[in-house]
Amino acid sequence: MSERKPILVTGGAGYIGSHVVHDLCDLGYEVVILDNFSLGRHENVDERARLIEGDLMSEHDLELAFKDQPEIVFHFAAYKAAGESMVQPQKYAYNNICGTLRLLNMMVDHKVNKFVFSSSAAVYGAPRYLPIDEEHPKNPENYYGYTKLAIEQNLAWYSQIKGLNFAALRYFNATGYDINGRIKGKEKNPANLSPIIMETASGIRQSMQVFGDDYDTEDGTCIRDYIHVNDLSSAHLAAMDYIRKNKENLVINLGTGKGHTVLQMIEAARRVTGREIPYQITDRREGDPPELVASSALAHQKLNWMASHSDLDSIFKTMKEVYLNPVKR
Ligand code: UFG
């Protein structure tokens, strides 16, 4: 493997990035992580990777990360709380947009031309039809989604002008933990449903809120397409191979094509953990569409990829290992 160039993973200590780093290291790649630990966790860093504790906004840290001339860059380092992005857009502008543009410029300077980008279903906004395919209009409803769309648009320009070869992966609702138990550090200050369910099951929270039960869905709560983080990781590896082989860009959804309501998620967690999960029904959360489900046909066609760990039992069994059976450190 020594003739292979390293792979640079920004945000490689974060929730999704740490899973991908473990899979890359398992395949024998030399991995360099750039993470500022604002959300990442040291305990999730694969010991086989070289860690640069640094920031996208630091010229010095970026130079260190590019010193060994990576072949490809996986970019996970971004903020992802849609609600917060509507209160503090400047934080999202700075990190998600400026930080990513700096990274892209560094790639151009160092003649690194392969990029795998963590995009989001948030680029679509309120669904006009379901399931959502890649051609669906892009009208983000929150600033976070806008930051992802803005970067996708820049990727297209950098590709046209500078020959950048990229994959933009639009995640639906990422969830679960490593099926091999390698990742044990919980997400810091989670805003998403499944970690909040598990914090409630484990007693970190006394109860949780369900945002509205008067939607036009089977039990009145919102439907989302939950995709296991190991399935996301395998799609990243396939996307890397795809852009290497085909030298064409790839913009795809990553979801299962199947939706679950909030109450179905809580019930599955209760069944798997055997714990009570007290909740109150509250008002709707602003900007929540009733249903978001992906068409994953293109990912299947282009990458021969399909989710295989995203059933609710696998999701909550793997989360139980982290939230209810934590390893002492
Ligand atoms: N929910 C609750 N209570 C909570 C948290 C969430 O009822 O405490 C509900 C939400 O109202 C929503 C569902 O659970 O109906 C999922 O909410 P999340 O906040 O976990 O996720 P979102 O669907 O809002 O957004 C996530 C990602 C986005 C991505 C989107 C795509 O955070 O980046 O999925 O489907 F774009």
Side-chain angles (χ1 to χ4, degrees):
M1 303 282 167
S2 54
E3 71 280 4
R4 276 185 184 169
K5 287 183 186 172
I7 294 180
L8 174 61
V9 182
T10 74
Y15 171 53
I16 300 173
S18 60
H19 286 82
V20 174
V21 167
H22 276 78
D23 284 348
L24 287 169
C25 290
D26 282 354
L27 290 172
Y29 286 102
E30 186 188 331
V31 176
V32 178
I33 294 174
L34 176 67
D35 201 299
N36 68 4
F37 290 91
S38 63
L39 293 173
R41 301 199 79 120
H42 280 279
E43 67 201 288
N44 290 344
V45 172
D46 193 307
E47 284 172 358
R48 296 167 291 182
R50 184 158 79 82
L51 174 65
I52 299 170
E53 192 159 344
D55 200 282
L56 291 172
M57 300 309 278
S58 154
E59 192 77 20
H60 170 263
D61 297 345
L62 275 179
E63 284 293 352
L64 268 183
F66 279 81
K67 194 166 68 65
D68 295 328
Q69 189 68 19
E71 179 218 348
I72 183 163
V73 178
F74 285 78
H75 179 42
F76 298 97
Y79 294 121
K80 61 163 187 167
E84 182 189 55
S85 76
M86 296 300 280
V87 183
Q88 293 186 64
Q90 62 282 32
K91 178 174 165 181
Y92 285 71
Y94 186 73
N95 189 60
N96 293 16
I97 298 180
C98 300
T100 306
L101 293 178
R102 286 184 69 110
L103 181 63
L104 289 176
N105 288 351
M106 193 60 118
M107 288 178 62
V108 171
D109 291 347
H110 286 258
K111 302 196 170 23
V112 178
N113 71 349
K114 295 186 194 66
F115 191 66
V116 179
F117 176 57
S118 297
S119 189
S120 168
V123 299
Y124 297 115
R128 306 220 181 139
Y129 58 83
L130 292 166
I132 298 176
D133 61 21
E134 290 79 0
E135 299 309 312
H136 185 284
K138 282 89 193 158
N139 287 308
E141 292 226 318
N142 49 62
Y143 189 78
Y144 159 74
Y146 165 71
T147 68
K148 296 292 179 181
L149 184 59
I151 296 303
E152 283 195 11
Q153 291 168 342
N154 274 280
L155 292 177
W157 282 109
Y158 275 61
S159 178
Q160 186 186 317
I161 303 167
K162 287 288 172 188
L164 181 75
N165 191 192
F166 70 87
L169 307 181
R170 295 177 180 156
Y171 312 155
F172 279 64
N173 290 59
T175 186
Y177 269 84
D178 185 34
I179 48 170
N180 298 311
R182 298 167 298 181
I183 310 291
K184 291 287 186 194
K186 302 180 191 77
E187 275 191 273
K188 293 177 185 169
N189 304 320
N192 291 122
L193 179 65
S194 46
I196 287 175
I197 289 176
M198 292 307 296
E199 286 194 353
T200 313
S202 64
I204 297 172
R205 293 169 191 253
Q206 291 197 320
S207 74
M208 58 172 290
Q209 299 180 325
V210 171
F211 301 137
D213 69 349
D214 57 352
Y215 288 95
D216 185 16
T217 61
E218 52 197 287
D219 61 23
T221 63
C222 289
I223 294 173
R224 294 288 181 274
D225 185 336
Y226 294 92
I227 174 91
H228 193 283
V229 65
N230 287 118
D231 286 330
L232 288 180
S233 183
S234 65
H236 284 74
L237 303 182
M240 169 175 74
D241 288 342
Y242 183 91
I243 61 173
R244 270 182 182 148
K245 279 192 198 115
N246 298 287
K247 303 202 170 23
E248 73 175 24
N249 300 326
L250 184 69
V251 180
I252 51 168
N253 289 340
L254 294 179
T256 67
K258 187 170 166 30
H260 300 284
T261 69
V262 175
L263 292 181
Q264 285 166 353
M265 294 290 282
I266 293 175
E267 171 53 24
R270 195 197 58 72
R271 190 178 68 243
V272 170
T273 62
R275 301 282 182 101
E276 287 309 309
I277 302 171
Y279 64 83
Q280 298 89 41
I281 307 285
T282 63
D283 289 345
R284 292 180 176 197
R285 187 173 69 176
E286 207 183 327
D288 265 348
E291 184 168 357
L292 278 178
V293 176
S295 163
S296 54
L298 194 62
H300 183 53
Q301 181 199 323
K302 297 265 182 189
L303 303 181
N304 196 23
W305 171 90
M306 275 176 74
S308 56
H309 304 291
S310 297
D311 57 286
L312 296 192
D313 269 27
S314 300
I315 287 169
F316 285 110
K317 276 181 186 154
T318 56
M319 294 194 86
K320 181 181 164 195
E321 289 302 313
V322 171
Y323 281 85
L324 298 180
N325 303 322
V327 174
K328 297 243 176 327
R329 279 171 199 273

